[in-house]
């Protein structure tokens, strides 16, 4: 196993350790029951060193995820933010993906946990590589997105990602890059790891948070950016046929940024051009790389 992509150190339970030494027991609760949460955060390259995009919002979501499952993170929000900054700094990445993970350790006797079971907190950073430029062909998957009647969907819980895994795996088996999942009621929900936006007659339309989506931090940022660019934005219930009536469709998320969708179910989206998506992407990147004064409050510089 090559650990070099994770840089020099991983932060684990309060200490920076060598990546190959960041280990847990196979008897950890998380291994048996998938009990954990995570975040996906990005640090962008700027003229003033790496800047972490919307750190406060990501750390707030991490604490929300734990709270809604009755977990208590054994660090304060300030300590976690500082640990994230320290980990990016020590690894000397100009830009990177940041993965805070919280999970249950060894010593359990039941699916429910008792006080003796330790919580582990790990922050790893890695090089995401360049995912721009590739065409994005999506298919609607047969798997429905998990409903919040079953599990809290605003929590970024590990267990939600087995549903994501099936959604993406089925897409790959069908020859697509990614899938769009419908919710339990048949409305457009999201892809396995990003939110969906449609452009129709210069209006931006995106599934309502009631459609089993993760109300993504990129999604919320883009809604504000689109409104600031003068677009009308509607959060609503979208049926599958509207995917094929849209002028443009794009995916949005921390790892994805803003990614134009070329086809859905092998039907070309709109005319195949995506000028509005491109404008939103360029504005988003300008903000994330520190070139837009107005949104400096969204960035935490790592110095
Ligand atoms: N939906 C799912 C299922 C995701 O995993 C992600 C990535 N975290 C998103 C949406 C986008 O969320 P964010 O913009 O906060 O990264």
């Amino acid at each position: 196993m090559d650990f070099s992509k994770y840089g020099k150190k991983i932060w684990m339970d309060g200490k920076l350790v060598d990546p190959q030494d960041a280990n847990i027991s196979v008897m950890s609760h998380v291994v048996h029951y998938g009990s954990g949460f995570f975040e996906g955060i990005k640090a962008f390259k700027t003229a003033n060193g790496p800047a972490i995009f919307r750190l406060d919002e990501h750390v707030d979501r991490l604490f929300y995820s734990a709270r809604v499952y009755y977990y208590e993170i054994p660090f304060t929000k300030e300590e976690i933010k500082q640990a994230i900054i320290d980990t990016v700094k020590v690894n000397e990445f100009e830009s990177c993906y940041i993965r805070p993970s919280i999970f249950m350790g060894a010593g359990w006797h039941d699916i429910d946990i008792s006080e003796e079971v330790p919580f582990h907190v790990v922050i790893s950073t890695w090089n995401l590589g360049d995912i721009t430029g590739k065409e994005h062909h999506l298919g609607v998957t047969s798997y429905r997105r998990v409903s919040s009647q079953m599990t809290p969907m605003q929590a970024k819980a590990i267990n939600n990602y087995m549903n994501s895994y099936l959604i993406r795996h089925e897409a790959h088996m069908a020859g697509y890059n990614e899938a769009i999942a419908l919710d339990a009621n048949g409305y457009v929900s999201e892809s396995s790891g990003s939110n969906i936006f449609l452009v129709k007659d210069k209006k931006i339309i995106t599934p309502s948070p009631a459609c089993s989506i993760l109300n993504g931090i990129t999604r919320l940022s883009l809604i504000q950016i689109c409104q600031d660019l003068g677009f009308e934005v509607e959060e609503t219930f979208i049926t599958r046929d509207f995917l094929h009536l849209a002028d443009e469709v794009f995916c949005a998320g921390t790892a994805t940024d803003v990614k134009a969708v070329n086809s859905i179910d092998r039907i070309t989206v709109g005319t195949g051009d995506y000028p509005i998506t491109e404008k939103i992407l360029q504005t988003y990147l300008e903000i994330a790389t520190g070139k837009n004064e107005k949104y400096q409050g969204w960035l935490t510089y790592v110095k």
Side-chain angles (χ1 to χ4, degrees), residues 61 145 156 161 190-195 214 216-218 252-254:
R61 186 169 66 187
R145 194 71 182 125
K156 221 168 145 54
Y161 286 82
E190 59 180 350
S191 88
S192 65
S194 62
N195 292 114
L214 178 73
I217 291 164
T218 317
T254 297

Side-chain angles (χ1 to χ4, degrees), residues 16-249:
L16 286 163
V17 299
D18 291 342
Q20 63 273 18
D21 297 333
N23 299 316
I24 55 159
S25 164
V26 293
M27 292 316 295
S28 296
H29 193 274
V30 64
V31 175
H32 296 262
Y33 302 115
S35 49
F37 320 96
F38 67 100
E39 267 307 313
I41 315 177
K42 220 177 199 177
F44 288 82
K45 182 180 173 182
T46 79
N48 299 311
I52 304 171
F53 188 72
R54 309 212 74 171
L55 178 61
D56 287 354
E57 288 78 1
H58 281 284
V59 172
D60 282 350
R61 186 169 66 187
L62 187 65
F63 276 72
Y64 162 78
S65 297
R67 193 158 62 92
V68 78
Y69 276 87
Y70 307 94
Y71 283 31
E72 210 160 304
I73 298 176
F75 294 94
T76 64
K77 283 186 184 175
E78 285 314 312
E79 286 168 335
I80 295 293
K81 279 183 217 170
Q82 194 55 50
I84 290 171
I85 295 168
D86 293 346
T87 312
V88 174
K89 198 167 170 179
V90 76
N91 285 325
E92 296 174 356
F93 287 122
E94 287 185 313
S95 63
C96 61
Y97 184 77
I98 305 161
R99 168 57 56 88
S101 310
I102 296 183
F103 45 86
M104 292 287 183
W108 49 276
H109 306 284
D110 188 8
I111 292 175
D112 193 13
I113 46 119
S114 56
E115 269 126 46
E116 307 90 75
V117 180
F119 290 90
H120 294 289
V121 185
V122 172
I123 300 161
S124 54
T125 56
W126 67 80
N127 218 324
L128 199 54
D130 185 11
I131 55 166
T132 55
K134 287 188 205 124
E135 296 230 324
H136 215 34
H137 298 282
L138 273 54
V140 174
T141 171
S142 69
Y143 281 103
R144 297 299 172 96
R145 194 71 182 125
V146 181
S147 152
S148 51
Q149 291 168 34
M150 298 158 193
T151 195
M153 285 305 284
Q154 298 311 319
K156 221 168 145 54
I158 294 172
N159 50 298
N160 295 347
Y161 286 82
M162 287 310 273
N163 177 247
S164 286
Y165 161 77
L166 286 171
I167 288 169
R168 191 174 292 188
H169 191 70
E170 194 184 61
H172 288 167
M173 285 195 296
Y176 300 119
N177 305 110
E178 177 55 288
I180 295 175
L182 307 179
D183 70 6
N185 299 313
Y187 293 110
V188 174
S189 179
E190 59 180 350
S191 88
S192 65
S194 62
N195 292 114
I196 305 285
F197 284 78
L198 280 63
V199 183
K200 181 70 182 165
D201 298 331
K202 300 201 163 53
K203 185 169 156 186
I204 314 295
I205 306 161
T206 193
S208 154
C211 297
S212 295
I213 64 166
L214 178 73
N215 194 357
I217 291 164
T218 317
R219 176 187 183 277
L220 291 168
S221 306
L222 292 180
I223 289 175
Q224 189 172 333
I225 291 169
C226 289
Q227 286 167 339
D228 291 352
L229 284 170
F231 292 107
E232 188 188 335
V233 181
E234 189 185 4
E235 298 174 73
T236 187
F237 294 82
I238 301 168
T239 51
R240 180 178 183 167
D241 42 2
F242 279 88
L243 293 170
H244 301 299
L245 288 164
D247 301 325
E248 300 177 38
V249 176

